[in-house]
Amino acid sequence: LGQILKIVLCISIPIKIVRYVFLTTQLVAEIGEIYTKLVLQGFDFLETLVSLIVTIGIAYLLEKASHGEKATFAETLQFSLSRWIDVISTYLLQILILLGLTLLLVIPGLVFGVYYIFALYVAALRNVKHKAALDYSKKLVNGRWWQVCGFTIFTLLLGVMAWYPIASVAKLVSEVRLLSVFVPHVIL
């Protein structure tokens, strides 16, 4: 747990602080609301890519723990950075395929969204990338689609229920800008 906390604090918190420092209401006044929204969307995408380092690190630590091994913060960060580009490229391919399937019809996008749910972890931990990682993920889910779908929906609902009170407090206390950094700008 300590190593997970370290990697989250060292990567997630700084990017939130950067958002707070650079993306303030002063930016809206300087470049206008429309451009600020574009900058925020671009920053959100960048934040997602950077947060993949945390995701890879947590997956690495959990896999090590499942084998009774421990990893240092430096090993975890080194592993995360070494797999980051492959995970990003797999992630972008996954997005393109799911977007295409969703535009075709919504149902295929949802079905393959569940099939591809483990692709990033496969790319990170099994040294498999791109379409091979997506296929590996589909193979893991095959025969368990409804279980994986149900567990995913349940997990998302728990996350929303846990996050909603935090977001509500941050919205109510808008004077405390530092709190609002941790709430997506969509909520505020």
Side-chain angles (χ1 to χ4, degrees):
L1 184 62
Q3 296 297 339
I4 291 174
L5 190 58
K6 279 182 191 175
I7 198 158
V8 168
L9 289 175
C10 288
I11 294 173
S12 295
I13 301 300
I15 199 140
K16 298 291 185 185
I17 292 171
V18 167
R19 171 188 283 278
Y20 175 72
V21 170
F22 293 108
L23 302 176
T24 62
T25 52
Q26 183 180 3
L27 185 66
V28 175
E30 290 177 12
I31 66 171
E33 189 174 336
I34 293 173
Y35 291 117
T36 301
K37 286 182 180 181
L38 288 173
V39 168
L40 283 171
Q41 288 175 344
F43 193 83
D44 285 346
F45 184 70
L46 178 66
E47 188 176 355
T48 298
L49 297 181
V50 171
S51 71
L52 288 175
I53 296 170
V54 175
T55 302
I56 297 166
I58 292 172
Y60 176 75
L61 288 168
L62 292 174
E63 183 175 52
K64 286 286 192 185
S66 74
H67 295 296
E69 302 171 13
K70 291 189 176 188
T72 65
F73 175 74
E75 291 170 345
T76 304
L77 191 57
Q78 181 180 8
F79 179 82
S80 295
L81 293 174
S82 73
R83 300 297 308 139
W84 191 47
I85 299 299
D86 288 341
V87 170
I88 286 175
S89 58
T90 301
Y91 177 65
L92 293 175
L93 177 64
Q94 180 182 11
I95 288 172
L96 287 174
I97 290 173
L98 292 177
L99 183 64
L101 288 171
T102 303
L103 290 175
L104 181 65
L105 287 172
V106 174
I107 301 300
L110 293 173
V111 169
F112 278 86
V114 173
Y115 276 130
Y116 293 164
I117 201 156
F118 299 117
L120 300 181
Y121 304 106
V122 169
L125 300 174
R126 299 294 173 258
N127 205 18
V128 178
K129 57 187 175 183
H130 307 126
K131 184 70 168 100
L134 297 174
D135 293 340
Y136 192 113
S137 176
K138 184 177 178 186
K139 192 168 133 182
L140 289 173
V141 173
N142 208 14
R144 300 176 197 89
W145 191 92
W146 284 108
Q147 289 173 310
V148 173
C149 182
F151 185 77
T152 302
I153 291 169
F154 177 73
T155 305
L156 287 172
L157 289 175
L158 279 179
V160 167
M161 288 188 316
W163 190 247
Y164 185 76
I166 296 168
S168 297
V169 168
K171 190 174 182 181
L172 290 174
V173 189
S174 60
E175 301 85 41
V176 184
R177 289 287 299 156
L178 190 57
L179 256 183
S180 66
V181 169
F182 298 99
V183 180
H185 67 279
V186 189
I187 294 174
L188 297 173

